[in-house]
Amino acid sequence: FLSLIAEFCCGFFVILILGNFWFLAVLYLLWLYLDWETPCTGGRRSQWVRSWTVWKYFREYFPIHLIKTSDLNPNHNYLLGFHPHGVLVAGAFGNFCTGPSFENLFPGLTPYLHIMPIWFGCPFFREYIMSAGMVSASKESVSYVLNNEGGGHASIIVIGGAEESLNAHPGSLTLNILKRKGFIKMALKHGAHLVPVFSFGENELFKQVANPKGSWLRNVQEKLQKIMGFALPLFHARGVFQYSFGLIPYRQPIHTVVGSPIPVKRNLNPTTEEIEQLHALYLQNLRKLFEEHKRNYGIPEHKSLIFE
């Protein structure tokens, strides 16, 4: 959905350049130059945009739910690790960028969803995603959010990244996380408490063309992902008036469960061993969160998370 909006915004910008409104395009390019660092300095959210009625229908379509398991003290800053990526990342967008669900459950906390920096180079689209509460996933951006001395900031990072979307098959429980330790280092440097988040149903929204590791399709997708910075999963779901084929996601409920915080003491120069220890603790808590709630959301007893 966001990709379609981005394409529309880019197309509109091209029309301005080629049409009689090229001067507006020039003015916007000047604004883009002056405003380039904003996605790395907290963005520019708009409560009006986050409250659009269309997002209410978006959340109700699946529907999307946010589940709280523990209080989060607004005197601290938090780094929430979101799993899994899925194809759409619908749970992260619906719960942290639209509506009042997060603020109602966790009063005093402001959520910032970190996404790939490449999206903020898209004319006009960048203004929209910032107004929804999205900011860059760069180190500078995460540091800016977590550096809030009074606390009350929550960075949400989709830990598996775009690479994990290639595993987004219905029933898949494979997470790309074993080598992802940058978020652990950021939490230590800023003393941000770590919170695992698992979004049940995220991988059920689309069917993806079979791409097992080692297949020619997976090799091509991984090479393109390294070149472009984002993955290209070949997916399909339902249409507008039929359920056999289309790009509209299936109506499958999404339950995004926010776990208990892992206290983290500030450490400006963490050692490799300290990072490894906290990473192992995070994995342990993430697995515990999944095991405690999987029965509530239709996951068979014998299935467990697979860490890669």
Side-chain angles (χ1 to χ4, degrees), residues 180-237:
R180 309 227 170 205
K181 299 172 184 176
F183 74 104
I184 297 292
K185 191 173 183 179
M186 293 298 292
L188 282 166
K189 282 190 171 183
H190 296 282
H193 295 353
L194 281 167
V195 182
V197 178
F198 195 88
S199 195
F200 292 89
E202 199 75 43
N203 284 340
E204 317 304 316
L205 306 185
F206 296 93
K207 292 179 180 178
Q208 192 172 164
V209 175
N211 60 342
K213 289 200 171 183
S215 65
W216 69 270
L217 176 57
R218 186 60 169 256
N219 290 336
V220 170
Q221 289 175 319
E222 289 176 347
K223 287 179 181 178
L224 289 176
Q225 193 265 329
K226 290 180 180 179
I227 294 172
M228 300 184 298
F230 56 90
L232 293 173
L234 298 180
F235 60 89
H236 66 89

Side-chain angles (χ1 to χ4, degrees), residues 100-111:
S101 296
F102 184 85
E103 287 86 348
N104 289 344
L105 289 178
F106 304 101
L109 285 182
T110 302

Side-chain angles (χ1 to χ4, degrees), residues 10-193:
C10 289
F12 180 69
F13 185 69
V14 170
I15 291 173
L16 288 181
I17 294 176
L18 299 179
N20 294 325
F21 301 97
W22 59 266
F23 61 94
L24 292 178
V26 172
L27 288 175
Y28 183 79
L29 287 175
L30 177 60
W31 161 256
L32 193 63
Y33 173 77
L34 296 173
D35 194 57
W36 189 254
E37 295 300 321
T38 301
C40 294
T41 54
R44 187 170 45 248
R45 71 180 53 227
S46 164
Q47 198 57 42
W48 175 67
V49 173
R50 290 168 58 87
S51 302
W52 281 352
T53 303
V54 65
W55 303 132
K56 175 178 178 290
Y57 294 123
F58 172 80
R59 294 191 302 275
E60 292 178 350
Y61 171 80
F62 297 98
I64 296 174
H65 304 280
L66 185 65
I67 292 88
K68 172 183 176 179
T69 64
S70 177
D71 289 332
L72 298 181
N73 189 332
N75 293 325
H76 299 296
N77 293 316
Y78 297 88
L79 195 159
L80 279 63
F82 183 91
H83 313 270
H85 183 287
V87 172
L88 192 63
V89 205
F93 176 74
N95 285 311
F96 304 121
C97 296
T98 73
S101 296
F102 184 85
E103 287 86 348
N104 289 344
L105 289 178
F106 304 101
L109 285 182
T110 302
Y112 295 84
L113 179 60
H114 296 270
I115 64 174
M116 291 187 299
I118 190 174
W119 290 113
F120 296 97
C122 180
F124 301 114
F125 179 67
R126 69 188 295 275
E127 317 304 334
Y128 160 68
I129 56 179
M130 279 196 290
S131 65
M134 288 178 256
V135 291
S136 173
S138 66
K139 291 180 180 179
E140 296 79 11
S141 177
V142 177
S143 292
Y144 184 91
V145 173
L146 296 181
N147 226 12
N148 191 40
E149 292 185 2
H153 282 188
S155 280
I156 298 99
I157 301 177
V158 184
I159 304 299
E163 182 183 356
E164 194 172 82
S165 67
L166 300 178
N167 291 327
H169 296 272
S172 174
L173 295 172
T174 301
L175 303 181
N176 292 57
I177 192 171
L178 290 182
K179 296 181 181 180
R180 309 227 170 205
K181 299 172 184 176
F183 74 104
I184 297 292
K185 191 173 183 179
M186 293 298 292
L188 282 166
K189 282 190 171 183
H190 296 282
H193 295 353

